[in-house]
């Protein structure tokens, strides 16, 4: 009887112990599933959204990289089932209303049933703008001291393509400065320099290219400077045409010199400029005219880089000569000689008409001049056919004296060619 009571008590004790253990287990499970806990998830990448929605994009582009850590709150069961990949960190730039560097709030999107906050700063700093490109002229600025000045500047590149924020490059200008030195004597200087950007209004240099997100397709420019100088050269008057004896002609030029400007090497080879006047064009025995300094330089130095420093300066010149006249002479066929004829017996050449020419010169000489003092030659080999059997030849006219010249022309002689009779 005593043993039975003892056994019954043992069973009751075991039952109560089991019941108590189950209760404790149930209470633990209920607490594990409902009690709120916190856990840190690290290395969550920040994503950018809203690009282009307001016309803006970010300067960092694909190179942007930022990770954040979050503190998540939830039940232990839920937190234990999560990883950093279940969270999203977002920066929305569609709220930007102006270009430039700005601070944006980072938004965390956690899984359902979990709340999360960023551990540390909840913001991201981004540069937003409309990104574009421009071709900008490269301005060259030399600094030097010399009696001469730079007349030519030759650059390896004239423009650079610049890419970056419109708010920065929209008013940017490209420039390169050179310190050439003092008291320069060289005619040509070759240098290379760094191209930089600055604001065209404020002249503030955009020095930190990476910070401003600006790039250029060229960073250096090669430049050749050619120095120009000045030189005063004399001016004289030369008569051409052979009408007058120079000792009988009086000439006058109101300017004794012209100041030239150009490459130093070219200046060294010029000492004077000559106004050339054709005596055969003179009507009467006096002539006066003007020519600009620029026209005189172009006539005397065609193709040269030299110019007149005072281009519009007028130079007056005049010619006074003995009285002279012109007269028409008739040259008969007998005084016209055909040269380079073919061997005799093949063709017969006849001169079809007399030749009228105009002579010019001092009045006394021209009045006494006659056709017998004129010889005319034509070259048979240079004839040009004008009709069947008829040819035109250019006449070469010679006078017996240099004081009288032939004006007008060119004169031609008409000849006829027939086969010689056998």
């Amino acid at each position: 009887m005593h043993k039975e009571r003892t056994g019954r008590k043992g069973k009751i004790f075991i039952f109560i112990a089991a019941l108590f253990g189950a209760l404790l287990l149930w209470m633990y499970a209920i607490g594990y599933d409902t009690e709120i806990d916190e856990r840190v998830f690290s290395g969550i990448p920040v994503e950018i959204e809203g690009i282009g929605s307001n016309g803006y994009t970010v300067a960092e582009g694909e190179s942007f990289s930022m990770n954040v850590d979050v503190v998540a709150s939830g039940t232990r069961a839920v937190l234990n089932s999560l990883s950093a990949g279940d969270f999203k960190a977002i920066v929305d730039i569609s709220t930007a209303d102006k270009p430039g560097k700005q601070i944006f709030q980072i938004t965390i999107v956690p899984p359902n049933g979990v709340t999360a906050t960023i551990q540390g700063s909840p913001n991201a700093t981004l540069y937003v703008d409309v990104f574009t490109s421009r071709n900008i002229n490269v301005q060259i600025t030399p600094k030097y001291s010399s009696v001469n000045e730079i007349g030519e500047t030759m650059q390896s590149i004239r423009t650079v393509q610049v890419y970056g924020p419109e708010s920065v490059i929209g008013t940017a200008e490209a420039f390169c400065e050179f310190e050439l030195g003092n008291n320069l004597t060289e005619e040509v200087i070759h240098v290379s320099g760094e191209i930089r950007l600055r604001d065209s209004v404020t002249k503030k240099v955009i020095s930190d290219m990476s910070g401003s997100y600006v790039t250029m397709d060229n960073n250096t420019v090669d430049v050749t400077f050619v120095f120009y100088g000045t030189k005063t050269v004399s001016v004289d008057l030369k008569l051409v045409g052979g009408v007058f004896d120079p000792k009988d002609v009086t000439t006058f030029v109101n300017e004794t010199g012209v100041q030239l400007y150009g490459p130093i090497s070219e200046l060294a080879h010029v000492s004077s400029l000559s106004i050339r006047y054709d005596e055969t064009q003179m009507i009467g025995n006096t002539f006066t005219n003007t020519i600009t300094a620029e026209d005189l330089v172009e006539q005397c130095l065609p193709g040269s880089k030299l110019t007149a420093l005072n281009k519009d300066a007028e130079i007056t010149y005049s010619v006074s000569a003995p009285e002279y006249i012109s007269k028409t002479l008739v040259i008969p066929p007998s005084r016209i000689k055909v040269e380079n004829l073919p061997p005799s017996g093949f063709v017969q050449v006849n001169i079809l008409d007399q030749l009228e020419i105009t002579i010019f010169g001092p009045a006394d000489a021209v009045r006494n001049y006659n056709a017998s003092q004129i010889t005319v030659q034509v070259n048979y080999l240079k004839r040009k056919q004008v009709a069947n059997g008829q040819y035109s030849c250019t006449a070469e006219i010679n006078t017996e004296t240099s004081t009288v010249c032939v004006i007008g022309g060119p004169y031609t002689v008409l000849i006829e060619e027939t086969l010689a009779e056998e």
Side-chain angles (χ1 to χ4, degrees), residues 339-353:
E339 295 183 328
N340 298 318
L341 285 170
S344 60
F346 287 95
V347 296
Q348 182 175 337
V349 175
N350 298 313
I351 299 171
L352 295 181
D353 200 1

Side-chain angles (χ1 to χ4, degrees), residues 301-354:
L301 305 170
S304 171
K305 292 182 179 179
L306 298 178
T307 61
L309 203 60
N310 186 2
K311 295 182 179 182
D312 297 326
E314 290 190 342
I315 302 170
T316 301
Y317 60 97
S318 64
V319 179
S320 296
E323 182 184 359
Y324 66 94
I325 60 174
S326 61
K327 183 170 74 172
T328 299
L329 295 178
V330 177
I331 312 298
S334 61
R335 296 200 62 80
I336 300 174
K337 182 181 179 181
V338 182
E339 295 183 328
N340 298 318
L341 285 170
S344 60
F346 287 95
V347 296
Q348 182 175 337
V349 175
N350 298 313
I351 299 171
L352 295 181
D353 200 1
Q354 60 189 15

Side-chain angles (χ1 to χ4, degrees), residues 26-49:
W26 177 77
M27 291 177 63
Y28 173 78
I30 291 297
Y32 184 83
D33 238 4
T34 60
E35 184 178 347
I36 300 302
D37 200 0
E38 289 185 346
R39 181 177 169 188
V40 176
F41 292 86
S42 302
I44 300 170
V46 178
E47 301 175 10
I48 300 175
E49 292 186 351

Side-chain angles (χ1 to χ4, degrees), residues 229-233 258-262 266-271:
T230 60
K231 180 181 181 181
T232 300
V233 298
V258 170
Q259 193 170 21
L260 297 180
Y261 170 79
E266 288 195 35
L267 288 173
H269 295 93
V270 182
S271 59

Side-chain angles (χ1 to χ4, degrees), residues 228-419:
Y228 280 22
T230 60
K231 180 181 181 181
T232 300
V233 298
S234 62
V235 177
D236 57 27
L237 177 63
K238 290 187 181 301
L239 302 180
V240 295
V243 176
F244 304 109
D245 189 327
K247 68 178 184 297
D248 297 328
V249 179
T250 302
T251 61
F252 169 78
V253 180
N254 73 326
E255 292 289 344
T256 58
V258 170
Q259 193 170 21
L260 297 180
Y261 170 79
I264 300 169
S265 57
E266 288 195 35
L267 288 173
H269 295 93
V270 182
S271 59
S272 65
L273 300 175
S274 295
I275 302 172
R276 297 175 67 84
Y277 176 67
D278 185 356
E279 304 161 81
T280 64
Q281 303 300 314
M282 194 169 182
I283 300 176
N285 65 334
T286 60
F287 177 83
T288 301
N289 199 6
T290 60
I291 185 172
T292 65
E294 180 179 19
D295 288 341
L296 178 59
V297 172
E298 289 179 355
Q299 289 178 16
C300 297
L301 305 170
S304 171
K305 292 182 179 179
L306 298 178
T307 61
L309 203 60
N310 186 2
K311 295 182 179 182
D312 297 326
E314 290 190 342
I315 302 170
T316 301
Y317 60 97
S318 64
V319 179
S320 296
E323 182 184 359
Y324 66 94
I325 60 174
S326 61
K327 183 170 74 172
T328 299
L329 295 178
V330 177
I331 312 298
S334 61
R335 296 200 62 80
I336 300 174
K337 182 181 179 181
V338 182
E339 295 183 328
N340 298 318
L341 285 170
S344 60
F346 287 95
V347 296
Q348 182 175 337
V349 175
N350 298 313
I351 299 171
L352 295 181
D353 200 1
Q354 60 189 15
L355 179 64
E356 291 186 358
I357 64 171
T358 302
I359 61 172
F360 171 87
D364 292 341
V366 171
R367 289 190 188 103
N368 297 320
Y369 219 79
N370 57 62
S372 65
Q373 295 171 283
I374 301 289
T375 59
V376 179
Q377 295 173 329
V378 295
N379 190 341
Y380 174 81
L381 298 179
K382 294 183 179 180
R383 68 195 186 284
K384 294 181 181 179
Q385 188 170 13
V386 295
N388 187 25
Q390 294 185 356
Y391 299 87
S392 173
C393 299
T394 300
E396 294 182 7
I397 303 170
N398 300 300
T399 61
E400 293 182 354
T401 174
S402 62
T403 60
V404 175
C405 65
V406 177
I407 62 174
Y411 295 99
T412 59
V413 174
L414 190 63
I415 65 173
E416 183 180 52
E417 179 181 290
T418 59
L419 293 175

Side-chain angles (χ1 to χ4, degrees), residues 204-216:
K204 183 177 180 181
V205 176
I206 306 170
S207 56
D208 186 1
M209 291 299 184
S210 60
S212 299
Y213 310 104
V214 177
T215 58
M216 293 188 294

